[in-house]
Amino acid sequence: MTDETTKYDDADQPLPDSIPGTETPYVPVFDPSVRTAIYVACTILGVILAVAAPVAVAAHAPEWATILLSAMAGAIPTVAAAFGVAYNPSRKV
């Protein structure tokens, strides 16, 4: 498929700091130490829960416990992203 209309090139899109009228640079809501602490905590919890969920299945744990562990393991990245820990190459701080 080499149709030029199906290609998307965002090279001509302005970066947030290059838009006219934006004198102040991007500043995250939470300071770097809070974001780092949340990132480390979410990483540790994510690893623990990602291991605990399959172990619970193998150990024939109650269904509710397996579902809860799996849901929590899936929610950890969302918690980290809510604090602005997601990778963002345009972050200035």
Side-chain angles (χ1 to χ4, degrees):
M1 190 180 242
T2 60
D3 186 11
E4 292 297 320
T5 59
T6 59
K7 289 184 179 179
Y8 177 74
D9 183 17
D10 64 350
D12 62 341
Q13 299 297 317
L15 295 172
D17 290 341
S18 65
I19 297 175
T22 57
E23 292 80 27
T24 57
Y26 170 73
V27 178
V29 175
F30 300 99
D31 63 66
S33 61
V34 171
R35 291 194 316 266
T36 301
I38 295 296
Y39 179 71
V40 170
C42 286
T43 300
I44 292 168
L45 282 172
V47 169
I48 290 170
L49 290 169
V51 170
V55 168
V57 171
H60 304 292
E63 186 176 342
W64 65 267
T66 305
I67 292 171
L68 181 64
L69 287 171
S70 298
M72 288 172 55
I76 292 297
T78 305
V79 171
F83 281 88
V85 188
Y87 174 71
N88 184 351
S90 66
R91 183 167 285 134
K92 301 294 183 199
V93 176

